[in-house]
C-alpha cells in the first residue's frame, strides 16, 4: 500500500537566470540551461605524442615561455577559467596570471600559497591542496577575463602535471568582467560549505511524498507529478535497512616493523581446510614501486604476485590480496600451509610487514613480520636486505560491500516518454559506489549526514509530467521505501532548458586501442559529471588512462587530460586515500579497485550536436579492467547545428566558388600526418595553405543565427593568431596556442554572434594573421560553416522586445531608441545584408545622416534578445 501527500502550494518567481561568470556556481538551477554560445576548452600537460612517456615532462607540454616563465595556458577572447589542477610541482615556485594583455600579473603567488586554501582570496573549499584532494592541488576559483588570459609558472622539471579547464563565450557577451580579486563569493562559499543541503537555499516548494514496498524483481511507480512548466528541485529516497560506513574513518596512521629481501622468505600459516576459497593478504610499503614475487604453497608454484605502481612518501601503506585460489594447491586435510616468496623484480626489493590467511572471508591466521614471537610461531626464514620500522598512513580500503544499491535502479520519465531519461543504479546515481558504501556528500548528490536517506538536487525540468520508478533486481524484498520530491514552477523559455539525463555504461573488457565510452549523446546538450567504478585486477595501471572529450564532430579532443585520477582531481593513484568534496571524490578503494566521482558544476561541457566522451583504459588503451560509469547531462534531442557551407582549401573549384583570395605571401603544400586522440594511428593526407598575410572568402549562412566555424589546420605551426573579420568588421582574435610537430592536424571552433548575421544569407570572412616571428603565421586546410539557433538569454515576454520604438522614422539624421530593456548595441545593414561600419550607437540614439537615401535594417541588441526594425533614410 502507498500513501501520497501534497504538502505545500508554491508561490514562485522566475526559476532560471541569465547570468554567467561567477553566478554559474551560485545559480544552481542554471545546470539545466543550455547555451550554444560557449566553447568548452582545456589545456593540459598530456603527452603530445599520444602515449605516456612524455606525460608531465617539460618537453612539448607547455605552450611557450614568457619572461622566462613556462606558459601553462594562453587564450584570447572573452571567457572564464573554471578549474586549475596541478601536481608534482615545486611549491616554492610562483604561479602568475596575466589578464587582458597586461605585462603585469594580477596574480603572483607561490604555488604553496595559491593552493593552500587559507591564503585569501583563494580560499577553501573552492581551493584545496593535495592533502584534501588525495594528491591533487585543485582550484575552482573562477577567473573571468574580457580579452585575454595567460597563466605561467616558474621553473620546469620532469613529472610536473597540470590541467586547466576554461570556457570562451561569444564576443558580444557583456556579462563577463575581468577578475579583480574583490568579487563577492560569499554565496558560493556558503553553498560549498553546506554540501548535503539544498544549494538553492531556503526556497518554498511543492512537495510530494510516498511510502511503498518493492518486491524482488518488481518495478514500482513511486511518484507521478502532473504540472505544466515545472522542475524537480530535490529528490530524497530512504531505503530501510541500508547501512553506511562512517565517512570520517577514511585512513589510519600506522607504525609497523617489517623486513625486505631480494632472495626468498618462507613461513607457515593456519587455514581452514574445508573452505572453498583461501586467500593470502599482505601489508607492504607501497612507496617501493612494482614489487613482484613468485609464490609457492607447499612447494607448488601458484603464480606471481605483483603490485604495480607506487604511492607517495606519506601514504606508503597498502594492503593487498593474492587473488589466486590457494586451495587448489593444498593437500586435502592440511590445516597449515607453507608459503614461500621468491623475489622476481622491484624498484628495490620485496618488503613484507604483515600477512593474513583468509578462508571464505574469515581470517584464520595473522603473521606480524619483525615481531620475534610471531616469526617464531610461523617458522619464518629469510635473509633480509632491510629491516626496520615504518610510520605512515594506511588509506582505508575495506572489503567490497554487498550493497543492494547496485541492483536497485531509479528510472525517471519526462513528458510521457516511452524510455526513461534516467535509468541508473542507486549506487551510481547517488555517487556512493559499491566498494566502501560511505555516507558521502557531494554538492548535487549523496547521503544525508547521520541518516540513510539518499539525496539529489539536480534540477529536472519538464513541460507536462514527470514519473519516478524503482526497479528491484536485488533478489530481496524491500518494504517501506520512502520517496519525497520537491518541485517548483518555471517561467523560463522551456526551449532553452535540457531534459536531465543519465547514461549508464558497463564494459568488462574494453576494446584494445579504443577509449572506454563515458558518454555518447546526440543533440544539443551539456555534460555535468560522471560517477565511475573500476575493478582493475592485480594492479592500478588502468589509472594511467587520459580523458578525451570530442565535441560536435571535431577530430581533435576539446578536452585531453593526463590521467584518470587527475581527471577526478586526485593524483598519484589517489595516494591520500578516500575523500568526498563538493565537486569530486574517491568513495571506495579495494586493492586496485576505485569508486570515484566528478561533477562539472561551474565547468559544464557544452555541445551543440554530439558528445563523444571517453577515457583510456591504461596508458595507451592497452589494459583490461572492468568499467562501470554513469554520466550526468542535460539534452534536447533535436539539434539546430546545421552545416551551411564548407571551403576546401587547395581545391580550385571550392576556392573559386567562395571567392577565396589571400594577401601577402602564401604557400600551398601537402602534409601527411595524424590527429591527436583516440585515432592517432591513422595517417591522413591534407592540402594546406600557409599564409603570411590574410585569407578572405564568402560563405553561406542562415540569417540571424550564431555561426560556428570549424577550421582544420596544421598545428605544427606554433601559436597561430589571426584577427577575424565579418564583412569588414573586426570581431576578435582566433588564437591557437602551442603546437604539435608529430600529430600535426587539428580541428578548432570559433563562434560569430548572431548580431553579425542579421538579415544576411552570406557573409565575407577574413583572417588576418598576426606576426609571431615565424615564416608563416596561419595555416588552413578546410573551413566548415555551421548555423545554430541563438539561445534566449531572457525570461522576457517577446512583446517587450517588439515594443522597442525607434523615432523619428523616416529620418534624415538622428534616430532615437525608446526601450524598457537595456540596449547594448545597434547594427545597421543595407537591404543586401551588408553591415554599415561607419555608424556608431551612443547614448540611446544613432546618427544616420551619412547614409544614402533608402531602406535599411536596424538590429537592436539587448541582453534579453534582439529586435530588428526597418528604417528609412529620407
Amino acid at each position: 500500500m502507498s500513501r501520497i501527500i501534497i504538502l505545500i502550494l508554491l508561490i514562485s518567481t522566475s526559476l532560471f537566470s541569465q547570468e554567467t561568470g561567477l553566478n554559474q556556481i551560485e545559480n544552481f538551477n542554471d545546470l539545466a540551461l543550455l547555451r550554444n554560445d560557449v566553447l568548452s576548452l582545456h589545456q593540459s600537460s598530456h603527452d603530445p605524442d599520444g602515449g605516456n612517456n612524455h606525460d608531465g615532462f617539460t618537453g612539448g607540454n607547455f605552450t611557450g615561455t614568457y619572461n622566462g616563465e613556462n606558459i601553462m595556458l594562453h587564450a584570447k577572447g572573452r571567457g572564464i577559467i573554471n578549474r586549475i589542477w596541478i601536481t608534482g610541482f615545486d611549491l616554492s615556485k610562483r604561479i602568475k596570471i596575466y589578464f587582458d594583455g597586461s605585462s603585469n600579473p594580477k596574480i603572483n603567488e607561490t604555488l604553496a600559497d595559491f593552493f593552500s586554501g587559507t591564503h585569501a582570496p583563494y580560499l577553501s573549499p573552492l581551493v584545496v591542496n593535495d592533502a584534501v584532494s588525495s594528491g591533487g592541488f585543485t582550484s575552482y576559483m573562477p577567473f573571468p577575463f574580457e580579452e585575454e588570459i595567460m597563466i605561467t609558472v616558474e621553473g620546469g622539471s620532469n613529472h610536473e602535471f597540470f590541467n586547466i579547464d576554461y570556457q570562451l563565450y561569444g564576443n558580444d557577451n557583456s556579462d563577463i568582467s575581468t577578475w579583480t580579486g574583490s568579487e563577492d563569493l560569499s554565496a558560493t562559499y556558503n553553498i560549498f560549505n553546506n554540501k548535503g543541503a539544498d544549494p538553492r537555499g531556503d526556497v518554498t516548494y511543492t512537495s510530494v511524498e510516498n511510502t511503498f514496498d518493492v518486491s524482488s524483481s518488481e518495478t514500482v511507480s513511486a511518484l507521478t507529478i502532473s504540472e505544466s512548466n515545472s522542475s524537480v528541485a530535490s529528490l530524497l529516497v530512504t531505503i530501510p535497512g541500508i547501512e553506511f560506513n562512517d565517512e570520517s574513518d577514511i585512513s589510519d596512521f600506522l607504525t609497523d616493523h617489517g623486513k625486505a629481501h631480494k632472495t626468498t622468505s618462507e613461513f607457515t600459516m593456519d587455514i581452514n581446510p574445508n573452505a572453498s576459497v583461501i586467500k593470502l593478504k599482505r601489508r607492504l610499503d607501497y612507496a617501493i614501486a612494482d614489487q613482484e614475487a613468485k609464490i609457492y604453497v607447499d612447494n607448488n608454484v601458484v603464480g606471481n604476485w605483483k603490485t604495480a605502481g607506487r604511492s607517495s612518501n606519506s601514504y606508503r601503506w597498502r594492503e593487498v590480496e593474492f587473488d589466486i585460489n590457494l586451495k587448489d594447491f593444498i593437500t586435502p586435510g592440511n590445516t597449515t600451509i607453507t608459503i614461500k616468496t621468491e623475489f622476481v623484480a622491484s624498484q628495490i626489493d620485496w618488503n613484507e610487514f604483515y600477512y593474513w590467511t583468509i578462508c571464505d572471508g574469515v581470517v584464520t591466521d595473522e603473521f606480524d613480520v619483525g615481531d620475534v614471537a610471531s616469526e617464531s610461531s610461523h617458522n619464518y626464514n629469510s635473509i633480509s636486505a632491510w629491516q626496520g620500522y615504518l610510520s605512515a598512513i594506511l588509506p582505508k580500503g575495506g572489503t567490497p560491500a554487498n550493497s543492494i544499491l547496485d541492483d536497485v535502479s531509479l528510472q525517471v520519465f519526462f513528458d510521457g516518454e516511452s524510455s526513461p531519461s534516467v535509468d541508473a543504479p542507486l549506487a551510481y546515481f547517488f555517487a556512493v559506489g559499491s566498494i566502501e558504501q560511505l555516507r558521502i556528500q557531494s554538492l548535487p548528490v549523496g547521503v544525508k549526514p547521520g541518516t540513510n536517506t539518499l539525496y539529489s538536487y539536480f534540477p529536472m525540468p519538464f513541460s507536462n509530467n514527470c514519473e519516478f520508478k524503482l526497479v528491484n533486481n536485488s533478489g530481496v524484498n524491500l518494504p517501506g521505501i520512502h520517496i519525497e520530491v520537491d518541485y517548483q514552477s518555471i517561467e523560463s523559455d522551456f526551449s532553452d532548458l535540457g531534459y536531465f539525463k543519465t547514461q549508464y555504461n558497463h564494459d568488462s573488457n574494453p576494446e584494445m586501442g579504443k577509449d572506454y565510452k563515458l558518454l555518447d549523446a546526440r543533440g544539443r546538450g551539456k555534460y555535468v559529471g560522471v560517477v565511475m567504478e573500476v575493478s582493475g585486477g592485480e594492479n592500478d595501471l588502468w589509472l594511467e588512462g587520459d580523458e578525451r572529450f570530442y565535441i560536435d564532430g571535431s577530430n581533435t579532443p576539446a578536452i585531453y587530460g593526463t590521467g584518470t585520477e587527475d581527471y577526478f582531481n586526485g593524483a598519484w593513484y589517489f595516494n591520500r586515500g578516500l575523500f568526498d568534496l563538493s565537486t569530486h571524490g574517491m568513495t571506495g578503494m579495494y586493492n586496485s579497485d576505485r569508486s570515484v566521482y566528478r561533477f562539472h558544476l561551474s565547468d559544464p561541457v557544452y555541445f551543440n550536436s554530439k558528445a563523444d566522451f571517453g577515457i583510456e583504459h591504461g596508458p595507451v588503451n592497452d589494459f583490461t579492467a572492468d568499467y562501470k560509469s554513469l554520466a550526468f547531462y542535460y539534452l534536447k534531442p533535436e539539434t539546430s547545428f546545421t552545416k551551411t557551407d564548407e571551403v576546401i582549401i587547395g581545391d580550385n573549384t571550392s576556392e573559386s566558388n567562395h571567392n577565396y583570395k589571400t594577401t601577402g605571401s602564401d604557400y600551398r603544400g601537402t602534409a601527411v600526418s595524424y590527429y591527436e586522440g583516440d585515432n592517432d594511428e591513422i595517417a591522413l593526407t591534407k592540402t594546406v595553405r600557409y599564409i603570411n598575410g590574410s585569407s578572405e572568402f564568402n560563405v553561406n549562412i542562415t540569417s540571424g543565427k550564431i555561426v560556428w566555424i570549424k577550421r582544420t589546420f596544421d598545428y605544427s605551426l606554433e601559436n597561430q593568431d589571426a584577427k577575424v573579420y565579418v564583412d569588414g568588421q573586426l570581431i576578435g582574435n582566433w588564437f591557437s596556442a602551442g603546437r604539435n610537430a608529430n600529430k600535426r592536424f587539428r580541428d578548432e571552433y570559433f563562434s560569430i554572434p548572431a548580431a553579425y548575421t542579421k538579415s544576411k544569407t552570406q557573409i565575407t570572412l577574413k583572417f588576418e594573421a598576426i606576426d609571431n616571428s615565424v615564416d608563416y603565421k596561419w595555416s588552413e586546410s578546410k573551413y566548415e560553416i555551421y548555423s545554430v539557433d541563438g539561445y534566449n538569454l531572457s525570461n522576457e515576454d517577446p512583446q517587450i522586445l517588439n515594443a522597442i520604438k525607434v523615432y523619428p522614422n523616416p529620418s534624415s539624421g538622428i534616430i532615437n531608441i525608446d526601450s524598457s530593456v537595456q540596449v547594448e548595441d545597434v547594427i545597421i545593414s543595407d537591404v543586401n545584408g551588408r553591415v554599415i561600419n561607419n555608424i556608431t550607437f551612443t547614448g540611446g540614439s544613432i546618427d544616420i545622416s551619412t547614409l544614402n537615401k533608402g531602406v535599411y535594417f536596424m538590429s537592436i541588441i539587448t541582453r534579453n534578445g534582439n529586435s530588428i526594425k526597418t528604417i528609412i533614410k529620407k
Side-chain angles (χ1 to χ4, degrees), residues 440-515:
I440 72 104
Q441 287 97 46
S442 75
L443 196 55
V445 296
V447 187
K448 287 283 189 179
T451 74
N452 61 347
T453 297
L454 302 154
Y455 68 82
S456 165
Y457 295 120
F458 277 114
M460 305 180 192
F462 55 93
S463 60
N464 293 302
N465 56 73
C466 174
E467 182 182 15
F468 295 84
K469 292 183 178 181
L470 252 64
V471 181
N472 181 9
N473 292 315
S474 69
V476 298
N477 297 330
L478 300 175
I481 295 177
H482 187 76
I483 183 171
E484 181 176 344
V485 176
D486 293 339
Y487 68 97
Q488 56 187 148
S489 64
I490 57 178
E491 298 174 5
S492 303
D493 183 351
F494 195 80
S495 64
D496 289 332
L497 306 180
Y499 284 109
F500 179 63
K501 301 274 188 177
T502 63
Q503 187 173 117
Y504 177 73
N505 291 325
H506 179 200
D507 194 342
S508 60
N509 188 24
E511 182 181 353
M512 292 292 123
K514 295 297 180 184
D515 293 353

Side-chain angles (χ1 to χ4, degrees), residues 272 274-279 325 327 357-364:
N272 175 4
N274 298 317
S276 58
V277 177
I278 301 175
K279 293 185 178 184
N325 184 10
K327 182 173 176 58
T357 43
I358 304 172
C359 300
D360 288 344
V362 177
V363 175
T364 56

Side-chain angles (χ1 to χ4, degrees), residues 569-584:
N569 288 322
W572 315 115
Y573 295 6
F574 300 107
N575 66 357
R576 303 302 182 90
L578 307 184
F579 68 109
D580 61 329
L581 300 178
S582 293
T583 53
H584 59 282

Side-chain angles (χ1 to χ4, degrees), residues 646-669 687-699 711-712 762-767 778-783:
E646 69 177 14
V647 183
I648 303 173
I649 307 303
D651 182 289
N652 293 333
T653 301
S654 183
E655 289 186 356
S656 175
N657 289 341
H658 294 89
N659 298 314
Y660 179 88
K661 59 185 178 182
T662 64
T663 63
S665 63
D666 75 87
Y667 164 72
R668 173 175 158 180
T687 300
V688 184
R689 282 194 183 273
Y690 303 88
I691 297 169
N692 198 23
S694 67
S695 66
E696 184 175 322
F697 48 89
N698 303 328
V699 293
R711 166 174 154 250
T712 301
Q762 188 178 86
I763 58 175
T764 298
L765 296 174
K766 180 181 178 181
F767 303 98
W778 186 256
S779 68
E780 50 194 23
S781 177
K782 185 179 181 181
Y783 290 96

Side-chain angles (χ1 to χ4, degrees), residues 11 40 91 109 172 220 310 362 419 443 457 477 497 553 601 639 671 684 739 807 850 861:
I11 300 175
S40 299
L91 297 182
E109 306 281 358
D172 61 349
V220 170
R310 66 182 298 272
V362 177
S419 298
L443 196 55
Y457 295 120
N477 297 330
L497 306 180
L601 304 180
T639 179
L684 301 169
R739 68 190 295 261
Y807 64 94
T850 59
I861 314 301

Side-chain angles (χ1 to χ4, degrees), residues 840-859:
T840 303
F841 169 68
T842 55
S845 64
I846 193 165
D847 185 353
I848 64 169
S849 60
T850 59
L851 297 180
N852 296 325
K853 293 181 180 181
V855 176
Y856 296 87
F857 296 105
M858 175 184 286
S859 298

Side-chain angles (χ1 to χ4, degrees), residues 618-677:
V620 287
N621 279 326
D622 56 348
F623 192 77
T624 298
D626 191 344
Y627 280 77
K628 297 177 183 178
S629 63
L630 184 72
F632 299 78
Y633 62 111
Y634 290 87
L635 186 75
K636 285 287 191 185
E638 68 277 3
T639 179
S640 60
F641 195 69
T642 305
K643 186 176 181 179
T644 61
D645 210 343
E646 69 177 14
V647 183
I648 303 173
I649 307 303
D651 182 289
N652 293 333
T653 301
S654 183
E655 289 186 356
S656 175
N657 289 341
H658 294 89
N659 298 314
Y660 179 88
K661 59 185 178 182
T662 64
T663 63
S665 63
D666 75 87
Y667 164 72
R668 173 175 158 180
T670 299
V672 179
S673 193
Y674 312 83
Y675 280 98
E676 284 188 279

Side-chain angles (χ1 to χ4, degrees), residues 382-599:
S382 178
I383 301 174
S384 300
W386 171 91
Q387 60 180 323
Y389 286 93
L390 174 64
S391 296
I393 295 174
L394 171 67
K396 183 174 174 58
T399 303
N402 296 317
S403 168
I404 68 167
L405 299 182
D406 262 359
D407 299 314
V408 177
S409 294
L410 171 71
Q411 293 183 341
V412 187
F413 299 78
F414 299 113
D415 296 333
E417 61 189 345
S418 57
S419 298
S421 284
V422 174
D423 191 355
L426 297 183
Y428 298 93
F429 187 85
F430 294 102
V432 173
S434 64
I435 298 178
E436 300 289 350
Q437 202 173 319
L438 292 177
R439 189 179 285 107
I440 72 104
Q441 287 97 46
S442 75
L443 196 55
V445 296
V447 187
K448 287 283 189 179
T451 74
N452 61 347
T453 297
L454 302 154
Y455 68 82
S456 165
Y457 295 120
F458 277 114
M460 305 180 192
F462 55 93
S463 60
N464 293 302
N465 56 73
C466 174
E467 182 182 15
F468 295 84
K469 292 183 178 181
L470 252 64
V471 181
N472 181 9
N473 292 315
S474 69
V476 298
N477 297 330
L478 300 175
I481 295 177
H482 187 76
I483 183 171
E484 181 176 344
V485 176
D486 293 339
Y487 68 97
Q488 56 187 148
S489 64
I490 57 178
E491 298 174 5
S492 303
D493 183 351
F494 195 80
S495 64
D496 289 332
L497 306 180
Y499 284 109
F500 179 63
K501 301 274 188 177
T502 63
Q503 187 173 117
Y504 177 73
N505 291 325
H506 179 200
D507 194 342
S508 60
N509 188 24
E511 182 181 353
M512 292 292 123
K514 295 297 180 184
D515 293 353
Y516 168 76
K517 191 70 68 177
L518 294 174
L519 177 63
D520 183 2
R522 299 295 181 265
R524 175 185 171 199
K526 180 183 191 179
Y527 169 79
V528 294
V530 68
V531 174
M532 188 170 79
E533 190 161 285
V534 182
S535 297
E538 292 184 0
N539 60 56
D540 301 329
L541 284 178
W542 63 269
L543 283 160
E544 295 292 343
D546 304 337
E547 77 274 17
R548 301 195 283 208
F549 291 4
Y550 297 85
I551 298 173
D552 295 336
S554 173
N555 293 302
T556 299
I559 295 174
Y560 194 152
T562 54
T564 301
E565 75 273 36
D566 306 352
Y567 171 69
F568 291 96
N569 288 322
W572 315 115
Y573 295 6
F574 300 107
N575 66 357
R576 303 302 182 90
L578 307 184
F579 68 109
D580 61 329
L581 300 178
S582 293
T583 53
H584 59 282
M586 181 179 71
T587 63
M589 181 178 74
Y590 179 74
N591 290 340
S592 61
D593 302 351
R594 303 287 189 277
S595 292
V596 288
Y597 67 85
R598 178 176 166 194
F599 295 113

